[in-house]
């Protein structure tokens, strides 16, 4: 068991492919082929399935889940080139004192994947603005909130582009920087209250975060039309306004997070 634990941790957590592990073990005097290791890992699927199914069941019976999907490269897969997009779907949730994180690979980013993974979940789902979650949210009557980090990343990207364009010029702060400042103030509040009880976090959000959010929205509405269409800053502002109702959802309860990365 300790050898198997080492192999799967090195492969999936540390990113060491089996051919490298084969070479590393050989230097230590152990002759274990990558083929044998691959077969061991495949057979572990049957061992772990009951545990994974139980963890999925516990997650889906909670009232708050965080989800994300990210690109992953698979070198050899039938009908797919190594350069094509494949996806690792991640969910985090469960009882507050027994949170778990589950990874599920799928070559598709289609809406059928979250339908399968969240088949009996009906609570609050925090993800990005990707439309693929819409099907399961409608079918299961899921309340959806959006991770604010996606909006923040768009403003960061716009801010970097604005600095490149304004290089050598003396100018007032770019609108992307102003927008980023609004968001960073919200994150600062979250850092200050992270160790408080859910009730206290809710109270502080109502007292401090909501007024800042109202100021941010007013600034967005007053300035979005003043920014060139198609620019990164305009896209960041439009995304934030379009997702506004779900971006402020974290203020509705003290146990919700402003971002999936916190």
């Amino acid at each position: 068991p300790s050898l198997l634990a080492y192999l799967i941790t090195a492969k999936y957590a540390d990113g060491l492919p089996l051919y490298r592990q084969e070479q590393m073990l050989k230097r230590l005097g152990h002759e274990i082929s990558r083929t044998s290791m691959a077969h061991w890992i495949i057979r572990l699927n049957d061992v772990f399935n009951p545990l994974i199914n139980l963890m999925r069941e516990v997650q889906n019976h909670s009232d708050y889940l965080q989800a994300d999907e990210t690109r992953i490269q698979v070198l050899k897969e039938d009908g797919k080139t190594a350069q094509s997009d494949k996806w690792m779907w991640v969910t985090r949730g469960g009882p507050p004192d027994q949170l778990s994180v589950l990874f599920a690979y799928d070559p598709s980013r289609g809406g059928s994947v979250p339908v399968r993974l969240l088949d009996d979940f009906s609570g609050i789902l925090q993800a990005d603005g990707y439309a693929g979650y819409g099907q399961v949210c409608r079918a299961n009557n899921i309340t959806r909130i959006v991770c604010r980090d996606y909006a923040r990343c768009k403003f960061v990207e716009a801010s970097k582009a604005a600095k490149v364009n304004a290089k050598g010029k003396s100018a007032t702060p770019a609108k992307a920087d102003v927008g980023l400042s609004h968001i960073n103030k919200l994150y600062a509040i979250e850092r200050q209250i992270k160790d408080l009880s859910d009730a206290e976090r809710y109270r502080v959000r109502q007292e401090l975060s909501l007024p800042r959010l109202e100021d941010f929205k007013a600034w967005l509405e007053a300035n979005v039309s003043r920014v060139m269409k198609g620019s990164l800053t305009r896209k960041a502002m439009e995304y934030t306004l379009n997702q506004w109702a779900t971006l402020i959802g974290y203020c509705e309860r003290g146990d919700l997070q402003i971002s999936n990365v916190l």
Side-chain angles (χ1 to χ4, degrees):
S2 60
L3 174 60
L4 294 173
Y6 169 80
L7 294 177
I8 61 177
T9 300
K11 177 175 172 59
Y12 294 106
D14 301 329
L16 284 174
L18 294 181
Y19 77 87
R20 289 185 181 176
Q21 295 192 58
E22 179 184 37
Q23 295 168 354
M24 293 166 65
L25 290 169
K26 189 174 183 178
R27 287 199 301 269
L28 296 173
H30 306 294
E31 295 284 347
I32 305 177
S33 73
R34 71 190 77 174
T35 302
S36 294
M37 289 187 279
H39 287 161
W40 294 345
I41 291 174
I42 290 170
R43 288 166 59 190
L44 283 172
N45 179 68
D46 294 333
V47 176
F48 288 139
N49 253 337
L51 175 61
I52 292 173
N53 290 338
L54 178 60
M55 293 170 70
R56 181 75 64 190
E57 181 180 343
V58 171
Q59 277 194 1
N60 286 350
H61 280 83
S62 66
D63 65 352
Y64 174 42
L65 277 183
Q66 295 168 287
D68 192 18
E69 73 290 342
T70 187
R71 290 177 179 84
I72 186 172
Q73 185 180 46
V74 178
L75 296 181
K76 293 181 180 180
E77 187 172 30
D78 291 342
K80 291 274 190 177
T81 65
Q83 293 75 29
S84 62
D85 288 339
K86 299 95 172 177
W87 301 89
M88 186 67 77
W89 296 76
V90 187
T91 54
R92 177 180 183 268
D97 59 338
Q98 291 181 321
L99 291 175
S100 62
V101 179
L102 290 174
F103 296 80
Y105 168 75
D106 201 288
S108 170
R109 200 192 183 196
S112 60
V113 182
V115 167
R116 171 171 56 83
L117 297 178
L118 308 175
D119 61 345
D120 53 356
F121 176 69
S122 59
I124 295 176
L125 176 67
Q126 186 168 33
D128 58 16
Y130 173 50
Y133 291 100
Q135 183 179 351
V136 70
C137 287
R138 291 188 296 271
N140 293 16
N141 197 28
I142 292 171
T143 299
R144 185 172 175 182
I145 63 176
V146 170
C147 166
R148 182 162 287 277
D149 220 55
Y150 292 98
R152 183 179 181 277
C153 287
K154 291 181 184 297
F155 277 99
V156 169
E157 187 180 359
S159 175
K160 290 178 179 178
K163 285 180 173 61
V164 171
N165 294 335
K167 194 172 183 179
K169 300 178 183 178
S170 178
T172 56
K175 283 185 170 57
D177 289 328
V178 177
L180 193 56
S181 176
H182 278 282
I183 296 174
N184 287 341
K185 289 173 182 176
L186 295 167
Y187 276 74
I189 294 173
E190 293 303 308
R191 287 193 293 270
Q192 294 169 8
I193 66 175
K194 66 178 181 179
D195 296 324
L196 300 181
S197 67
D198 291 346
E200 280 296 297
R201 289 172 66 184
Y202 173 77
R203 182 189 64 78
V204 174
R205 286 171 176 172
Q206 297 300 303
E207 180 181 331
L208 300 180
S209 300
L210 283 181
R212 290 199 178 278
L213 283 163
E214 291 171 3
D215 290 342
F216 185 25
K217 186 180 182 185
W219 177 83
L220 287 167
E221 291 173 337
N223 287 275
V224 64
S225 62
R226 302 176 184 176
V227 179
M228 183 177 65
K229 288 184 178 180
S231 67
L232 291 176
T233 300
R234 178 72 174 255
K235 290 178 179 179
M237 297 170 78
E238 289 176 339
Y239 175 87
T240 304
L241 284 171
N242 290 338
Q243 298 290 337
W244 190 259
T246 53
L247 282 169
I248 66 173
Y250 75 97
C251 290
E252 296 298 317
R253 286 180 11 189
D255 62 320
L256 306 180
Q257 300 293 332
I258 190 174
S259 163
N260 280 349
V261 301
L262 296 181

